[in-house]
């Protein structure tokens, strides 16, 4: 089965050493780092997705193991809800932490998975490619996935927009989807450090048309951050950093220690 379809005509893309191409002559170069750009062209200089600062911050924070409990849960669920030879899509894969942890778990279980990651951030995909050469990566939007109908057995949707129509289209009958999202008081202590009036995350109804919820989990645990560098990495990997001014950013930069809670919800769906 072809990994990707042409974003121009919808035809099957065939891969050679340096490009993907379709029968109608549309051709897409594979970057030296290993991903293929299947995004439509945009205005000159327009940035897509997470920038280098956010990618560096996430890579640094993940390397300290603070998010391993969540990643282990996602990998366990991926193993539980997949069969041998499963094709996995990480929709909004970012720098590839969860993608690679799922790949490693399924490989150790002998399931011989094919793992595809898509993201609109080229900076994030470069880092994901560094994590594993086995990932099949594309710069693409989850709102218009360059994948054949019914070609995916398991989707990961980790802190990324939920594109129900596209997810339903590319999932095979009975396919599963693992969705992770922040609970109301996720990173509350970080918010209290930065904002004069910290706010809770909105509560979202997890019911989605075309999907049946088969399992729900919640996971909460505290982490300790030592030094301003680690605190800033946590801050910069979140959207909060980009919504604050210099004064609020200085609060995080000047702090030398922080204890905060990570609080996540995880839902497993089945395609109806």
């Amino acid at each position: 089965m072809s990994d990707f379809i042409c974003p121009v005509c919808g035809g099957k893309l065939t891969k050679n050493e340096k490009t993907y191409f379709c029968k109608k002559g549309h051709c897409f170069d594979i970057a030296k780092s290993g991903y293929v750009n299947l995004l439509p062209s945009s205005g000159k200089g327009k940035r897509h997705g997470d920038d280098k600062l956010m990618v560096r911050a996430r890579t640094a924070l993940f390397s300290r193991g603070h998010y391993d409990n969540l990643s282990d849960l996602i990998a366990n669920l991926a193993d539980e809800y997949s069969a041998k030879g499963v094709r996995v899509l990480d929709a909004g894969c970012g720098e590839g932490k969860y993608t690679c942890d799922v790949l490693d778990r399924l490989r150790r279980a002998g399931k011989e998975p094919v793992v595809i990651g898509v993201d609109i951030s080229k900076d994030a995909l470069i880092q994901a490619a560094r994590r594993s050469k086995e990932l099949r990566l594309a710069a693409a939007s989850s709102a218009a996935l360059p994948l054949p109908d019914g070609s995916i057995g398991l989707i990961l949707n980790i802190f990324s927009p939920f594109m129900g129509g596209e997810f339903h289209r590319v999932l095979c009958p009975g396919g599963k989807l693992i969705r992770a999202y922040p609970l109301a008081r996720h990173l509350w202590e970080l918010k209290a450090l930065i904002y004069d009036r910290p706010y809770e995350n909105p509560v979202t109804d997890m019911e989605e048309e075309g999907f049946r919820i088969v399992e729900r989990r919640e996971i909460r645990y505290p982490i300790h951050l030592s030094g301003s560098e680690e605190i800033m990495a946590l801050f910069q990997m979140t959207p909060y950093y980009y919504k604050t001014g210099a004064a609020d950013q200085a609060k995080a930069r000047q702090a030398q220690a922080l204890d905060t809670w990570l609080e996540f919800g995880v839902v497993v769906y089945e395609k109806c």
Side-chain angles (χ1 to χ4, degrees):
M1 180 179 292
S2 175
D3 290 334
F4 303 112
I5 58 174
C6 178
V8 179
C9 68
K12 180 179 76 172
L13 287 178
T14 301
K15 180 184 177 183
N16 62 23
E17 288 186 4
K18 296 183 179 180
T19 61
Y20 281 88
F21 60 92
C22 71
K23 290 183 177 180
K24 292 189 175 181
H26 303 121
C27 187
F28 306 90
D29 293 337
I30 299 171
K32 290 182 179 179
S33 57
Y35 72 89
V36 59
N37 184 6
L38 301 179
L39 282 169
S41 60
S42 61
K44 185 177 180 181
K46 184 177 181 180
R47 182 179 68 82
H48 285 288
D50 298 343
D51 61 14
K52 291 181 180 179
L53 177 64
M54 184 175 280
V55 172
R56 284 198 303 267
R58 287 182 176 168
T59 302
L61 225 292
F62 288 155
S63 71
R64 291 171 167 87
H66 294 309
Y67 280 66
D68 284 356
N69 288 356
L70 173 64
S71 194
D72 287 346
L73 173 58
I74 291 168
N76 287 338
L77 291 170
D79 188 11
E80 180 179 352
Y81 287 102
S82 64
K84 189 171 182 178
V86 64
R87 294 176 65 84
V88 181
L89 166 67
D90 191 347
C93 65
E95 51 70 68
K97 158 69 174 173
Y98 306 105
T99 331
C100 286
D101 284 355
V102 167
L103 170 64
D104 291 343
R105 178 63 57 84
L106 297 183
R107 286 186 61 205
R108 291 199 305 271
K111 293 189 172 178
E112 301 177 5
V114 172
V115 180
I116 298 167
V118 302
D119 202 283
I120 61 173
S121 168
K122 297 175 184 178
D123 292 321
L125 290 169
I126 290 170
Q127 180 60 33
R130 289 173 182 156
R131 284 186 177 273
S132 175
K133 298 301 181 185
E134 293 186 41
L135 298 178
R136 305 183 185 188
L137 300 170
S141 170
S142 294
L145 291 167
L147 298 168
D149 294 357
S151 61
I152 299 296
L154 175 67
I155 292 178
L156 309 178
N157 179 228
I158 314 301
F159 312 123
S160 296
F162 190 93
M163 300 297 178
E166 278 295 271
F167 294 165
H168 194 275
R169 178 183 68 80
V170 303
L171 272 177
C172 65
K176 303 299 192 296
L177 187 156
I178 300 173
R179 180 183 189 180
Y181 58 96
L183 295 176
R185 292 180 69 86
H186 175 59
L187 296 179
W188 179 260
E189 293 79 8
L190 175 65
K191 289 181 177 180
L193 170 66
I194 298 162
Y195 300 124
D196 293 332
R197 294 183 178 180
Y199 57 92
E200 292 188 349
N201 296 316
V203 177
T204 304
D205 181 9
M206 290 295 113
E207 298 288 342
E208 297 289 350
E209 184 178 356
F211 295 90
R212 177 178 68 89
I213 294 176
V214 296
E215 185 170 353
R216 292 178 184 258
R217 299 279 192 95
E218 290 187 356
I219 179 171
R220 297 176 172 86
Y221 59 92
I223 61 172
H224 175 75
L225 306 178
S226 301
S228 61
E229 181 178 345
E230 196 170 20
I231 295 169
M232 283 302 295
L234 178 64
F235 186 26
Q236 289 169 346
M237 70 176 273
T238 71
Y240 312 139
Y241 180 80
Y242 297 85
K243 298 177 182 179
T244 56
D248 286 335
Q249 292 174 7
K251 297 175 186 176
R253 190 171 288 108
Q254 292 166 6
Q256 294 303 310
L258 178 67
D259 292 289
T260 189
W261 281 77
L262 306 185
E263 302 192 3
F264 312 104
V266 180
V267 176
V268 180
Y269 298 93
E270 181 179 62
K271 176 180 175 177
C272 295

